[in-house]
Amino acid sequence: MPEHDISASFSDDEENGQFSNIFSPNNRTKYKSPNSNKSLRSSDHCLNSPNNLQPRSESLGIHYSEEKLLRVGGGYTQGMSVLCAPFLYEMPEVDAFFCFNLLLTKHIPQYVNSSLDGVLTGCSLISRVLEVVDPELFHHLDGTNHEHLMYFGFSFVMSLHACMQPLEEILKIWDVLFAYGVHLEILIVVAQCVLLREKLLADHKNPFTFLTLKSLQLQPFDAEILVACAFSLIPHIHQDLLDEIACHPIVSLDANGFR
């Protein structure tokens, strides 16, 4: 384990509202989906239209109705359909909805409130972590476009990287997020920047073209390299910031930390 433990690892007890390695190879065989070789596309239209995702069950509407979503939380918010899709691709509909409900209500409630507070906090944390682990890259990006630096990670944080493709690589990332904590998504986004640092530093006009969702979807996507890079960043981050990262999906934070 890294020196700083931000895992807050999930137990195997579903009754306590935890996941149990649901995307392990054994469970993927059990929950094999006829669509598992497909990729999840991401656009504003796709984010809000579960019909485009072609899940294993065409009766998704039964559980994806407004009534059910109101029981999940405060109603539908942007990105819910993309978060729901990997579950539906990999397991039966009822199990998928159970896990989807658990994710939203127990592990990322701040991501799916009406103002998306947790997602916005996550974007701010990405900027702060990048400043700590790679000051040169941070100042280059911040000097080019401060606003883009603050919000380029929005789609990734909101979807826990499910906006990327192919699906198989997304599931590898979700394996790690469900094992160590979904808050690790912040470090995965930072790792994505670090792995592109040469290209980003070489562009003095608009380096954020390399960080757009469309551009990143065209690049080779290796979840194992991304996760390894994310873990390598942990020893360089001070504990107070790690604590904020760990808590931001479930606790409302202000500019100075906990609220």
Side-chain angles (χ1 to χ4, degrees), residues 94-202:
V94 174
D95 293 345
F97 184 76
F98 171 81
C99 292
F100 173 65
N101 184 13
L102 193 61
L103 174 65
L104 268 55
T105 58
K106 299 294 185 181
H107 300 292
I108 56 168
Q110 290 296 315
Y111 281 21
V112 293
N113 61 27
S114 59
S115 55
L116 304 176
D117 289 337
V119 178
L120 296 175
T121 301
C123 292
S124 175
L125 287 168
I126 289 169
S127 176
R128 291 169 60 191
V129 171
L130 184 61
E131 184 176 14
V132 170
V133 301
D134 196 334
E136 181 183 4
L137 181 57
F138 168 81
H139 289 297
H140 175 70
L141 295 176
D142 187 57
T144 304
N145 193 317
H146 175 74
E147 185 175 350
H148 280 191
L149 176 60
M150 289 297 296
Y151 297 110
F152 82 91
F154 187 89
S155 295
F156 303 104
V157 175
M158 180 174 58
S159 68
L160 301 179
H161 249 79
C163 59
M164 289 293 286
Q165 55 188 15
L167 176 61
E168 188 66 25
E169 297 302 307
I170 295 171
L171 296 182
K172 291 177 183 178
I173 288 180
W174 278 32
D175 274 339
V176 174
L177 296 182
F178 293 163
Y180 291 93
V182 293
H183 50 273
L184 189 65
E185 171 65 18
I186 302 303
L187 300 187
I188 289 176
V189 177
V190 174
Q192 205 157 19
C193 293
V194 172
L195 291 172
L196 290 170
R197 76 184 311 273
E198 291 186 7
K199 289 183 178 180
L200 296 173
L201 290 173

Side-chain angles (χ1 to χ4, degrees), residues 2-239:
E3 179 181 353
H4 298 290
D5 181 10
I6 63 169
S7 63
S9 300
F10 296 145
S11 71
D12 291 333
D13 187 356
E14 290 184 351
E15 292 183 359
N16 290 330
Q18 308 294 333
F19 293 100
S20 178
N21 199 17
I22 57 175
F23 292 127
S24 68
N26 290 338
N27 281 341
R28 285 187 203 169
T29 301
K30 177 182 177 182
Y31 293 131
K32 187 63 177 177
S33 166
N35 294 316
S36 60
N37 62 332
K38 297 187 178 181
S39 300
L40 300 182
R41 297 179 298 108
S42 180
S43 64
D44 286 340
H45 180 59
C46 180
L47 284 173
N48 292 283
S49 179
N51 292 331
N52 286 340
L53 298 176
Q54 298 178 344
R56 59 178 288 122
S57 172
E58 295 182 358
S59 61
L60 172 60
I62 295 174
H63 292 300
Y64 216 92
S65 65
E66 181 179 356
E67 177 184 359
K68 287 287 186 179
L69 287 173
L70 287 174
R71 290 169 60 184
V72 168
Y76 179 84
T77 58
Q78 185 180 7
M80 277 189 181
S81 54
V82 171
L83 286 170
C84 190
F87 294 117
L88 285 162
Y89 272 98
E90 295 299 316
M91 61 183 65
E93 181 183 342
V94 174
D95 293 345
F97 184 76
F98 171 81
C99 292
F100 173 65
N101 184 13
L102 193 61
L103 174 65
L104 268 55
T105 58
K106 299 294 185 181
H107 300 292
I108 56 168
Q110 290 296 315
Y111 281 21
V112 293
N113 61 27
S114 59
S115 55
L116 304 176
D117 289 337
V119 178
L120 296 175
T121 301
C123 292
S124 175
L125 287 168
I126 289 169
S127 176
R128 291 169 60 191
V129 171
L130 184 61
E131 184 176 14
V132 170
V133 301
D134 196 334
E136 181 183 4
L137 181 57
F138 168 81
H139 289 297
H140 175 70
L141 295 176
D142 187 57
T144 304
N145 193 317
H146 175 74
E147 185 175 350
H148 280 191
L149 176 60
M150 289 297 296
Y151 297 110
F152 82 91
F154 187 89
S155 295
F156 303 104
V157 175
M158 180 174 58
S159 68
L160 301 179
H161 249 79
C163 59
M164 289 293 286
Q165 55 188 15
L167 176 61
E168 188 66 25
E169 297 302 307
I170 295 171
L171 296 182
K172 291 177 183 178
I173 288 180
W174 278 32
D175 274 339
V176 174
L177 296 182
F178 293 163
Y180 291 93
V182 293
H183 50 273
L184 189 65
E185 171 65 18
I186 302 303
L187 300 187
I188 289 176
V189 177
V190 174
Q192 205 157 19
C193 293
V194 172
L195 291 172
L196 290 170
R197 76 184 311 273
E198 291 186 7
K199 289 183 178 180
L200 296 173
L201 290 173
D203 192 325
H204 296 279
K205 292 184 178 180
N206 187 17
F208 289 96
T209 56
F210 295 106
L211 294 174
T212 63
L213 182 59
K214 183 177 181 179
S215 176
L216 288 171
Q217 286 179 333
L218 296 175
Q219 301 295 321
F221 180 39
D222 190 321
E224 294 182 17
I225 292 177
L226 199 57
V227 168
C229 181
F231 274 107
S232 74
L233 303 177
I234 295 175
H236 304 285
I237 305 171
H238 56 81
Q239 190 62 50

